[in-house]
Amino acid sequence: MTFLTIGHRGVMGVEPENTLRSYLRAERCGMDAIALDLRLSKDGVLVAVHDPDVDRTTDGSGAVADLTLAELRGLDAGQGERVPVFEEVLEAVRSPLQVSVDDRAAAAALAELVLRRDLVSRVEIASAREEVLTEAARRVPGVRTALFVRSAPGDPAAVVGRATGAGAATVSLDIRGITLELVEAAHAAGLRVTGLAVDTLDLLRLARALGLDGVTTDHPEIRSTGRFTA
């Protein structure tokens, strides 16, 4: 199986995260896929923002859910970039996308768009909430899903059970919390395992030693290095 390198919010180590500039650079650097985060604006538009609010990543403040698209578009998301609408991302890059959503409303809007634009082969839906993945799979038959495990994984069987119960094809965890036992249990259940965020050569070597199927990284050089690291 191919070892995947996924650009984290584009390549957020060198470009403003979740911006068109960052996604375009990730694609130019040859990332196998681009991971991004979606939330709904006050007026129901899917926009690429990671946090519940815009305070950290823009020159504005307030919750994404309390701001209209026009208000969000008036903010500087870094180096003059604007908060992208998801459909802009789809037009700007051609790479496969791993799209993270954290609530059912955003997941429903994403599912509708995936169906309308026939994106099942291009978009993987990711979430830390099993019910979001289950609902996405119900709405979009055949869509690939990935479960993010944010806390310490603990019992490998429990992690695998969560992922398989949600119908996920991939489980993604903090690279520092992944054990060989967990990887073997996941692979035995037919799951892919990816680690994040892999931003150093030592962590890349660890990912290879653990037998991971891929990594999510903030830095473009991990892509080229990963092809030659055993």
Side-chain angles (χ1 to χ4, degrees):
M1 186 179 290
T2 302
F3 185 81
L4 298 175
T5 310
I6 303 166
H8 193 203
R9 306 177 203 170
V11 277
M12 63 177 283
V14 292
E15 299 288 1
E17 68 178 68
N18 280 325
T19 62
L20 293 182
R21 179 188 178 105
S22 192
Y23 304 144
L24 286 165
R25 183 156 176 184
E27 185 165 78
R28 288 197 305 271
C29 293
M31 294 291 179
D32 298 301
I34 298 170
L36 62 119
D37 310 273
L38 293 182
R39 294 186 178 275
L40 283 173
S41 67
K42 184 178 181 178
D43 41 355
V45 180
L46 285 168
V47 292
V49 181
H50 176 268
D51 299 356
D53 56 62
V54 298
D55 300 52
R56 181 180 63 85
T57 57
T58 77
D59 61 350
S61 63
V64 176
D66 293 335
L67 298 170
T68 65
L69 178 60
E71 290 170 328
L72 289 165
R73 297 289 272 177
L75 304 177
D76 187 332
Q79 300 185 42
E81 290 288 303
R82 301 299 166 188
V83 174
V85 172
F86 182 48
E87 295 207 52
E88 289 179 321
V89 181
L90 293 170
E91 297 302 325
V93 296
R94 294 290 178 263
S95 301
L97 302 173
Q98 184 188 76
V99 182
S100 178
V101 287
D102 271 344
D103 64 80
R104 288 184 172 182
L110 175 60
E112 188 278 328
L113 192 151
V114 168
L115 286 171
R116 175 163 49 85
R117 296 194 52 165
D118 191 22
L119 300 171
V120 173
S121 63
R122 183 181 174 198
V123 170
E124 178 181 57
I125 299 177
S127 182
R129 297 174 58 190
E130 291 99 313
E131 66 271 21
V132 168
L133 299 183
T134 301
E135 181 67 8
R138 185 188 70 79
R139 290 175 177 269
V140 189
V143 72
R144 292 171 293 113
T145 59
L147 176 68
F148 287 139
V149 179
R150 289 175 174 165
S151 56
D155 179 16
V159 173
V160 170
R162 286 181 61 195
T164 55
T170 299
V171 59
S172 184
L173 311 95
D174 186 324
I175 181 69
R176 294 173 176 84
I178 300 177
T179 64
L180 187 58
E181 182 183 10
L182 190 152
V183 175
E184 290 175 344
H187 283 169
L191 297 168
R192 294 193 309 180
V193 185
T194 61
L196 72 160
V198 174
D199 292 332
T200 68
L201 184 56
D202 284 346
L203 289 176
L204 182 58
R205 287 178 176 140
L206 174 61
R208 289 294 204 175
L210 288 168
L212 299 189
D213 301 292
V215 297
T216 300
T217 181
D218 298 338
H219 294 286
E221 60 268 22
I222 293 295
R223 164 62 181 164
S224 56
T225 305
R227 288 180 294 174
F228 304 107
T229 302

